[in-house]
């Protein structure tokens, strides 16, 4: 460890730590475009200039290593002037079309101009013209004039996705991002370049022109697209005469799981969340008669993406009324890769073992064939192939094809409408939060089943303290912000 | 004043062919030197004080030691000869490529031995087609005669690589990037002195003329080299003269002579009997020096420094009294605008803005604010970029404004009336 001082504050850091990282970790504002923890140092934007005592010239923080006694100034008048001059150059060929730019409100260029720019324009010559509507592929639109050439997007395709679709062509002020002719941006993680782009040069075809970002409310959540459990931010908003709607998912940093990224399929999976099912109300006494009174054999099949809380309430319910509970995780071998995407598509598949819910397909088939009642909780397996004359009951979050006798359908709220926890493929348990607040919100599964049997744990809190914490070996409040790794099932 | 060390065979017809070259002493330094320890050769170079002739004037021996001592697991090291020569006003290296390529090859064999390299590359400016043909012919001959490849001279391989026409690929790290097949973008400077790296292995980059000076030094000893030039600028340089001069060309001259004498005696004075106005002393990137100072300028690194300029490559651009300094700067800024690699912001945007503002001066549309813009852009380009391309451009602007501000102001005032 060595001692350095930043703006006259002493900080103890690892020797040779990267100064820009130290500043970020200590909440010292440091303007920058090109440096990114996941992409490393490139040193091209020159926006991270700091003054270092004893150095002749200003230095870039992203290429400065911390040594004993390093004295750094990030806000001295000299350095602010230097940064202002570099910013002026950054903007000299910029179209300044912020009013029609989707990045406005979350754009580093705008922020820095407001922080330390604020100069009057001295521009009196023609600007460099470049292409403003380049469809790079994979929903990514490029505006070359807004680009600050930080090379984050190109470095992402080079070093992270390793698909090499993007590069910079041309020299000097003619330099611009491009893909090769007939080789569009095409990889399962392509849309991450949109988040990486610090300005409005890369925008999402899916999101652009939909919302001004300052109208959006953000909620921290977990992607339900597969068992990886990538951390996300759900951006949603209620506009006039419309429901609360999700407008985008963005990856949220979690170095133990998804670092800064997520896959495109997960990113776009919010569209399904906006399409809720038609409203099929439930009648507690009818359901009670159906499921709780007679002694005949009953089987329940629950989707393994349901939260730990929902699976637990089902488990407690089924145990009490001798209903055989199964949950079959969905597996898609074509989906998984050696990075984020996991072939086990069910977000909470790892919870089944902790909650002692059977995931045996054979056992399920056997039980289903002799069952008098089949209860499907949002599972895509619709029982068509099962030879049985059982009555079928559906609890669903979304409309599905061939809904048949609609008297047997109950709709319930999907994950963006309630709080919950998920256990990912590495046995890390993570919380997600309710994001959508509609006036006509669906009932949660928990609510429905506690209406059927009001002796069950009424709230998530009591459910946790009474049941779940025993099964998992930790309490709800033990779950860290970035998730907590569970010990194996047997050690729970 | 004029000496013949590197240019010894320049006047001999067909010296680029190996038979003629051998007749006149080519490859004669090999026998004696290759039996010496590499370290001994490096010590002679350090002793000779040989300075890099690609513009920077860095001590060659230190660089050789860095390359030779840089740890490498595979044991592979490379020599890369910089023949990109693309700076306006500089045209000395091509004389070596065209007239005495075997001197360069001999230097390569010796340098490889001294730093422990087996493979070397000559990165030649793409436009030098004619000279590339000659050079490639010479390399083939050297292979055929057993100087290169499997031979008693250390199994050295030479690959001639053509650049694709970017000035920035002359910058050593950009050159290596280009050689590796990437865009010619200069690399960030290392945190401590170290060699260059080619595909992760230690590499030495030297200018053509630097390497071509090696055979003489190793054959005749450091003192023979130091007998020419000054204490701090020993030896000779291929000085080039172009512009308004009666005898433009490349002349090998020892360091430390009067620039004015050189212009008048060797260069034959200013064309058409005009008066001298200014000299850009060492390739486009060195700050201009006005005539009234030239009489005190000596042609060595230290003297030019003291005039806020630099010796650079010794490629002198001579300007007569009729030269329009506003147009001259515009011409140069057009070059920098065109050739910036575009990697870092101050340079990418600064060169284009400065060039466009200069157009306003040429068109007599400029204002005092434009003069201020030139100064501030120049300030922002200086000392804040990845490589010294932008600082060089900044020095060029500052030089013109320092010595010829009145011409810029006259432009502005012409607009006003
Ligand atoms: C923009 C730029 C262009 C350069 N072009 C050349 C060149 O064409 N030839 C050259 O030998 N050195 C050139 N250099 C200098 C090289 O970076 C390097 O210092 C030199 O090749 C080292 O050789 P030397 O020590 O033998 O001079 C250039 C440097 C810069 C910054
Ligand atoms: S498009 Fe965005 S991420 Fe890519 S280089 Fe330009 S500014 Fe950087
Ligand atoms: S990898 Fe899985 S969890 Fe991550 S974003 Fe994609 S679908 Fe969602
Ligand atoms: S100073 Fe100019 S030439 Fe050098 S790296 Fe930066 S942009 Fe490229
Ligand atoms: S963040 Fe340091 S130069 Fe871009």
């Amino acid at each position: 460890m060595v001692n350095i001082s930043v703006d006259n504050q002493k900080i103890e850091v690892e020797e040779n730590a990267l100064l820009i990282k130290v500043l970020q970790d200590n909440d010292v504002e440091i303007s920058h475009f090109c440096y990114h923890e996941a992409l490393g140092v490139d040193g091209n934007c020159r926006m991270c200039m700091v003054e270092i005592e004893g150095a002749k010239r200003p230095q870039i923080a992203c290429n400065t290593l911390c040594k004993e006694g390093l004295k750094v100034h990030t806000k001295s008048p000299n350095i602010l002037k230097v940064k202002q001059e570099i910013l002026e150059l950054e903007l000299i060929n910029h179209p300044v079309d912020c009013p029609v730019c989707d990045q406005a409100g979350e754009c580093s260029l705008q922020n820095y101009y407001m922080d330390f720019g604020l100069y009057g324009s001295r521009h009196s010559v023609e600007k460099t013209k470049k292409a403003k509507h380049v469809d790079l592929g994979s929903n990514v639109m490029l505006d070359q004039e807004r680009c600050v050439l930080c090379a984050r997007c190109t470095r992402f395709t080079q070093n992270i996705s390793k698909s090499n679709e993007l590069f910079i062509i041309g020299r000097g002020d003619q330099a611009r991002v491009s893909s090769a002719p007939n080789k569009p941006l095409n990889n399962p993680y392509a849309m991450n370049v949109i988040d990486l782009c610090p300005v409005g040069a890369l925008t999402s075809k899916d999101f652009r022109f939909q919302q001004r970002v300052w109208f959006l409310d953000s909620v921290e959540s977990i992607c339900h697209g597969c068992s990886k459990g990538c951390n996300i931010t759900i951006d949603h908003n209620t506009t006039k005469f419309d429901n609360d709607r999700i407008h985008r998912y963005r990856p949220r940093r979690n170095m133990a799981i998804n670092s800064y990224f997520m896959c495109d399929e997960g990113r776009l999976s919010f569209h399904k969340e906006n399409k809720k099912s038609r409203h099929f109300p439930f009648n507690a006494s009818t359901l009670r008669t159906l499921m709780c009174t007679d002694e005949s054999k009953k089987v329940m099949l629950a989707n393994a993406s349901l939260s730990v809380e929902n699976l637990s309430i089902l488990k407690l319910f089924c145990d009490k009324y001798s209903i055989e509970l199964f949950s079959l995780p969905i597996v898609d071998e074509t989906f998984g890769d050696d990075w984020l995407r996991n072939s086990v598509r069910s977000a909470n598949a790892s919870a089944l073992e902790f909650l002692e819910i059977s995931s045996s397909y054979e056992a399920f088939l056997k039980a289903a064939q002799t069952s008098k009642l089949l209860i499907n909780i949002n599972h895509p397996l619709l029982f068509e192939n099962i030879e049985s004359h059982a009555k079928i009951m559906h609890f669903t979050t979304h409309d599905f094809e061939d809904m048949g006798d609609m008297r047997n359908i109950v709709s319930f709220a999907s994950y963006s409408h309630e709080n919950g926890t998920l256990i990912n493929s590495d046995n890390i348990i993570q919380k997600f939060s309710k994001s959508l607040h509609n006036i006509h919100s669906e009932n949660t599964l928990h609510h429905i089943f506690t209406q059927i049997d009001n002796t069950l744990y009424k709230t998530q809190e009591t459910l946790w303290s009474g049941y779940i914490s025993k099964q998992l070996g930790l309490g709800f409040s033990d779950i860290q912000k970035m998730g907590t790794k569970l010990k194996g099932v047997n050690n729970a | 004043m004029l000496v013949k060390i590197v240019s010894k065979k320049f006047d001999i017809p067909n010296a680029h062919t190996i038979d003629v070259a051998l007749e006149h002493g080519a490859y004669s330094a090999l026998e004696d030197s290759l039996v010496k320890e590499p370290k001994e050769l490096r010590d002679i170079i350090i002793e000779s004080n040989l300075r890099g002739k690609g513009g920077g004037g860095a001590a060659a021996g230190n660089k050789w030691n860095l390359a030779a001592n840089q740890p490498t697991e595979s044991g592979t090291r490379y020599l890369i000869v910089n023949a990109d020569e693309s700076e306006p006003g500089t045209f000395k290296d091509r004389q070596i490529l065209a007239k005495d390529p075997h001197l360069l090859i001999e230097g390569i064999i010796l340098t490889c031995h001294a730093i422990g390299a087996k493979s070397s590359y000559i990165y030649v400016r793409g436009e030098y087609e004619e000279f590339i043909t000659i050079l490639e012919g010479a390399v083939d001959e050297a292979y055929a005669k057993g100087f290169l490849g499997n031979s008693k001279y250390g199994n050295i391989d030479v690959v001639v690589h053509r650049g694709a026409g970017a000035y920035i690929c002359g910058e050593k790290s950009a050159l290596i990037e280009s050689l590796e097949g990437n865009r010619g973008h200069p690399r960030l400077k290392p945190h401590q002195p170290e060699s260059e790296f080619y595909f992760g292995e230690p590499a030495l980059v030297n200018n053509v003329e630097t390497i071509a000076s090696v055979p003489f030094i190793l054959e005749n000893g450091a003192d023979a080299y130091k007998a020419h030039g000054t204490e701090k600028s020993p030896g000779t340089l291929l000085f080039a003269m172009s512009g308004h001069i009666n005898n433009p060309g490349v002349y090998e001259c020892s360091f430390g002579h009067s620039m004015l004498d050189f212009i008048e005696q060797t260069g034959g004075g200013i064309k058409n009997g005009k008066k001298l106005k200014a000299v850009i002393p060492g390739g486009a990137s060195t700050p201009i020096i006005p005539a009234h100072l030239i009489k005190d300028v000596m042609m060595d690194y230290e003297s030019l420094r003291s005039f806020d300029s630099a010796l650079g490559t010794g490629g002198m651009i001579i300007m007569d009294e009729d030269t329009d300094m506003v147009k001259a700067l515009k011409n140069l800024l057009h070059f920098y605008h065109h050739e910036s690699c575009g990697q870092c912001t101050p340079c990418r945007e600064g060169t284009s803005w400065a060039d466009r503002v200069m157009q306003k001066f040429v068109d007599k549309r400029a204002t005092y604010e434009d003069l201020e813009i030139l100064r501030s852009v120049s300030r922002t380009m200086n000392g804040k970029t990845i490589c010294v391309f932008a600082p060089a451009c900044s020095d060029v602007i500052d030089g013109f404004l320092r010595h010829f501000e009145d011409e810029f102001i006259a432009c502005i005032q012409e607009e006003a009336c």
Side-chain angles (χ1 to χ4, degrees), chain B residues 25-340:
Chain B
Y27 300 106
S28 57
L30 296 184
E31 296 286 346
D32 287 349
S33 295
L34 293 184
V35 295
K36 291 183 181 148
E37 281 301 309
K39 169 139 195 335
E40 213 177 315
L41 299 188
R42 299 202 298 275
D43 286 343
I44 299 173
I45 295 299
I46 289 180
E47 172 63 27
S48 78
N49 239 336
L50 173 65
R51 297 178 67 161
K53 300 181 194 292
N62 290 346
K63 279 173 59 172
W64 286 26
N65 272 343
L66 284 176
N69 298 330
Q70 185 77 39
T72 143
E73 251 172 50
S74 66
T76 314
R77 290 169 213 282
Y78 295 98
L79 169 64
I80 299 168
V81 179
N82 189 343
D84 194 51
E85 193 167 69
S86 314
E87 191 181 32
T90 303
F91 48 98
K92 64 186 183 65
D93 294 338
R94 71 186 204 189
Q95 305 299 320
I96 298 172
L97 304 183
K99 297 194 165 149
D100 197 359
H102 291 289
L103 181 65
L104 176 62
I105 298 169
E106 186 178 359
I108 288 174
I109 297 172
L110 292 166
T111 310
C112 281
H113 184 60
I115 63 163
K118 292 279 173 217
S119 307
S120 69
Y121 293 86
I122 307 175
Y123 187 101
V124 196
R125 172 182 187 178
E127 291 90 335
Y128 275 4
E129 266 198 64
E130 191 185 332
F131 313 118
I132 290 171
T133 311
I134 298 173
L135 177 64
E136 281 175 340
V139 168
D140 289 347
E141 285 177 329
Y143 269 102
K145 290 265 179 197
F147 291 106
L148 293 175
N150 224 339
S151 79
K152 59 175 177 166
Y153 300 112
N155 306 329
I156 308 297
D157 278 309
V158 173
V159 175
V160 177
H161 183 95
R162 270 183 74 166
Y167 166 55
I168 195 59
C169 287
E171 196 280 339
K172 53 186 184 288
S173 61
L175 182 151
I176 295 181
E177 285 287 323
S178 166
L179 203 55
E180 287 183 6
N182 303 325
R183 274 170 72 76
H185 276 177
R187 295 172 176 170
L188 287 174
K189 293 287 161 289
H191 295 284
Q192 65 283 320
E194 60 184 25
S195 74
E196 304 300 319
F197 291 94
Y198 175 60
F199 283 115
E201 306 291 357
L204 169 69
V205 181
N206 267 134
N207 172 258
V208 169
E209 190 187 348
T210 314
I211 298 295
S213 305
V214 168
F216 176 87
I217 299 171
L218 293 185
E219 192 169 13
N220 301 290
D223 288 337
Y225 193 66
K226 285 199 289 190
H228 305 281
T230 69
E231 193 195 333
K232 290 190 170 150
S233 305
T236 65
L237 189 72
L238 293 174
F239 286 92
M241 275 184 282
S242 62
H244 305 132
I245 185 95
N246 278 320
N247 307 324
V250 175
Y251 307 92
E252 185 169 15
C253 178
S254 50
F255 289 110
H257 294 285
S258 155
M259 184 173 275
L260 198 59
D261 286 354
F262 185 64
I263 291 171
E264 279 171 358
Q265 292 165 21
T266 311
I270 309 303
K271 250 188 179 161
N272 303 328
K274 294 263 170 67
K275 285 216 275 298
L276 177 68
K277 181 167 185 180
V279 177
I280 295 177
S285 299
T286 52
I288 193 163
I289 304 177
H292 70 273
L293 296 178
I294 297 287
K295 63 180 189 328
D296 298 323
V297 174
M298 299 294 148
M299 299 198 302
D300 60 62
Y301 293 99
E302 291 66 36
S303 172
L304 279 145
R305 245 313 106 230
S306 72
F307 286 89
D308 289 322
S309 186
L311 182 84
T313 60
M316 295 156 55
I317 302 173
I318 318 288
M319 299 176 173
D320 74 12
E321 54 189 317
D322 295 338
T323 310
D324 180 337
M325 287 302 163
V326 169
K327 284 188 180 152
L329 181 57
K330 167 70 180 97
N331 181 309
L332 288 169
L333 289 186
H334 176 79
F335 171 76
Y336 288 101
H337 178 187
H338 191 258
E339 294 296 336
S340 161

Side-chain angles (χ1 to χ4, degrees), chain A residues 142-143 146-154 168 177 193 196-199 201-202:
Chain A
L142 165 67
D143 181 329
R146 291 180 190 153
C147 170
V148 295
L149 290 157
C150 67
R152 281 188 179 187
C153 54
T154 60
I168 292 172
V177 169
V193 296
L196 286 172
C197 182
V199 296
L202 298 180

Side-chain angles (χ1 to χ4, degrees), chain A residues 46 63 85 122 124 170 172, chain B residues 183 191 340 360 376 379 384:
Chain A
R46 317 311 274 187
N63 197 33
E85 287 178 342
R122 298 195 290 169
S124 66
Chain B
R183 274 170 72 76
H191 295 284
S340 161
K360 285 180 79 178
S376 77
R379 187 168 60 236
K384 301 176 187 75

Side-chain angles (χ1 to χ4, degrees), chain A residues 85-97:
Chain A
E85 287 178 342
I86 296 177
L87 186 69
E88 181 182 27
L89 285 175
E90 197 77 83
L91 282 162
I92 208 72
N93 281 314
H94 185 280
V96 206
D97 50 358

Side-chain angles (χ1 to χ4, degrees), chain A residues 366-427:
Chain A
K366 219 168 127 213
Q369 265 145 23
T370 54
S371 171
K372 291 281 171 286
L373 176 68
L374 291 174
I375 307 160
N376 181 328
I377 316 279
N378 221 28
H379 200 284
L381 192 68
L382 292 175
F383 306 143
E384 291 123 3
N385 304 330
I386 296 167
E387 286 179 29
S388 137
H389 302 289
K391 200 171 158 72
I392 297 179
M393 185 70 222
H394 283 290
F395 291 77
T396 187
T397 55
H398 289 82
D399 286 355
F400 50 91
E401 265 178 50
D402 192 16
M403 290 172 82
D405 184 351
M406 301 208 195
R407 275 172 302 179
N408 296 329
I409 295 177
V410 171
S411 54
F412 72 96
S414 69
Y415 64 88
S416 55
H417 298 259
E418 61 173 339
N419 296 328
T421 51
L422 291 176
I423 304 175
N424 88 341
S425 50
D426 296 319
N427 280 353

Side-chain angles (χ1 to χ4, degrees), chain A residues 18 33 41-47 49 57-58 60 62-65 81-82 85-86 88-93 121-130 147-149 167-175, chain B residues 164-168 183 185 188-192 337-353 356-357 359-360 365 369-370 372-373 376-377 379-387:
Chain A
L18 203 54
F33 292 126
V41 179
D42 206 52
N44 63 54
C45 74
R46 317 311 274 187
M47 289 295 292
M49 291 276 181
R57 306 193 180 98
I60 51 173
C62 68
N63 197 33
T64 299
L65 304 179
K81 177 105 174 75
V82 165
E85 287 178 342
I86 296 177
E88 181 182 27
L89 285 175
E90 197 77 83
L91 282 162
I92 208 72
N93 281 314
S121 171
R122 298 195 290 169
H123 193 265
S124 66
V125 292
E126 73 274 30
K127 294 195 178 204
T128 307
K129 300 275 187 300
K130 297 180 194 172
C147 170
V148 295
L149 290 157
F167 36 83
I168 292 172
I169 59 170
R171 266 198 322 249
D173 67 333
Q174 294 299 323
Chain B
Y167 166 55
I168 195 59
R183 274 170 72 76
H185 276 177
L188 287 174
K189 293 287 161 289
H191 295 284
Q192 65 283 320
H337 178 187
H338 191 258
E339 294 296 336
S340 161
C341 87
Q343 194 178 191
C344 39
T345 310
C347 177
R348 176 181 68 242
E349 307 296 340
T351 51
S352 89
W353 197 12
R356 285 172 185 161
V357 166
Q359 187 62 47
K360 285 180 79 178
R365 290 185 289 121
E369 188 179 35
D370 291 318
E372 190 40 48
I373 288 173
S376 77
V377 170
R379 187 168 60 236
T380 313
M381 285 197 291
N382 209 337
K384 301 176 187 75
T385 53
I386 295 176
C387 83

